[in-house]
Structures are given as C-alpha cells and as structure tokens.
Amino acid sequence: MRLTTKGRFAVTAMIDVNRYQQGGPVSLAGISERQDISVAYLEQLFSKLRRGNLVKSIRGPGGGYVLARDAGDITIADIVFAVDEPLDVTRCGGNGNCGKGSIKCVTHNLWASLNERIIDYLESVTLSDLSGTKAVTATQNQHTGHIGMYAKTAK
C-alpha cells in the first residue's frame, strides 16, 4: 500500500486550514504558497473535502475554507477517504479472488489484516493531534510555513 500524493496533500492542506483559520477563512492561494501545492490541485481536493463535510467554503472577498467540524472530530482516515484514496494492500482489492482459480491467495489474510491495522491507526489520529505531539508530530518550517509530518516510533 502506498499513500499517494492525493492523500498526503489532502492531509497537509487540512493541517494548514486548522492552523490558519483562526485569522479567518483560509484561501487556496495561501495554502498553495505555504505548502507548495498547486491551486488547481487544491481545488480538486477541496471539492471532495467539502462534499465529505470536512470543510466549509466561505465566498466573497476574504473568502476561503474553514473546518466544518472541530479538528478533534476529524480523523486522518476521514480526510484520506474523502479524497477517494484507496487504502488496500491486497492484490484483489479485498475481494478474495487473488489466488489461482479466483480463490484467496495464501497471504490474503495477512494483507487484509494489515489493511485493518492501517485504517485503525488512521482513525485513531485526529487533525488536532497533528498540531501537538501525541502519536504523530507535525513540524513547520519557520521560514516557509511548509508542514512536514512524521510518525513517532512505536515503543
């Protein structure tokens, strides 16, 4: 399984909205400048995030986006699934027809279990967690505002 650019950029953009919305709606141009993501790509992502009820759009001068819910109520899984990011490490897409003769391959249950753990983890991390030091740490370059994320190692 590989989280694609779509999922990573959606999470990064949502962290940016969470950090900057206290000053009013956050523009896509501002996110683009701080996070080095094209405005056209952000427009596609935010259309899906809005349909997923994760952000609200504010029209007019000074408009932009704000979170539709409290950051503590938005999980990383919510964000990833809202932008249609597939999270599946099985060859068969979870259908169980990955082996010869359309039966489960010998490692199907291993990969299906990994899928569940990945989703469980993403559901356990909220947008507000990424602003602190709970399970995941978000770092911000003081000069550019660019956000980098890394998971703490498990103990």
Side-chain angles (χ1 to χ4, degrees):
M1 192 229 49
R2 184 165 183 247
L3 190 62
T4 65
T5 301
K6 187 188 329 181
R8 287 185 290 119
F9 281 0
V11 171
T12 299
M14 288 290 285
I15 293 168
D16 193 278
V17 170
N18 185 39
R19 288 190 170 179
Y20 290 95
Q21 71 178 350
Q22 290 75 17
V26 180
S27 71
L28 295 184
I31 297 170
S32 175
E33 185 178 313
R34 287 186 296 273
Q35 304 308 326
D36 196 26
I37 305 170
S38 79
V39 172
Y41 199 71
L42 288 168
E43 287 171 347
Q44 294 173 29
L45 292 177
F46 274 78
S47 173
K48 292 179 179 188
L49 293 168
R50 191 174 40 77
R51 283 194 305 267
N53 296 314
L54 298 178
V55 294
K56 292 181 197 174
S57 62
I58 310 296
R59 295 181 176 266
Y65 290 88
V66 296
L67 298 181
R69 306 190 309 248
D70 184 76
D73 295 331
I74 299 173
T75 69
I76 302 312
D78 293 334
I79 298 167
V80 170
F81 291 135
V83 296
D84 303 322
E85 182 71 48
L87 290 176
D88 188 2
V89 295
T90 64
R91 287 191 315 178
C92 62
N95 295 323
N97 59 353
C98 42
K100 193 172 185 175
S102 294
I103 60 171
K104 287 183 185 177
C105 67
V106 295
T107 57
H108 178 85
N109 291 340
L110 169 70
W111 304 127
S113 179
L114 179 58
N115 282 344
E116 291 173 15
R117 289 180 184 255
I118 291 168
I119 292 168
D120 287 347
Y121 176 70
L122 294 177
E123 287 176 341
S124 75
V125 180
T126 67
L127 201 50
S128 64
D129 292 336
L130 294 177
S131 297
T133 57
K134 206 171 185 178
V136 176
T137 301
T139 59
Q140 185 173 15
N141 182 307
Q142 296 298 323
H143 301 290
T144 65
H146 190 268
I147 298 168
M149 294 176 284
Y150 61 93
K152 285 187 172 181
T153 54
K155 294 182 180 182

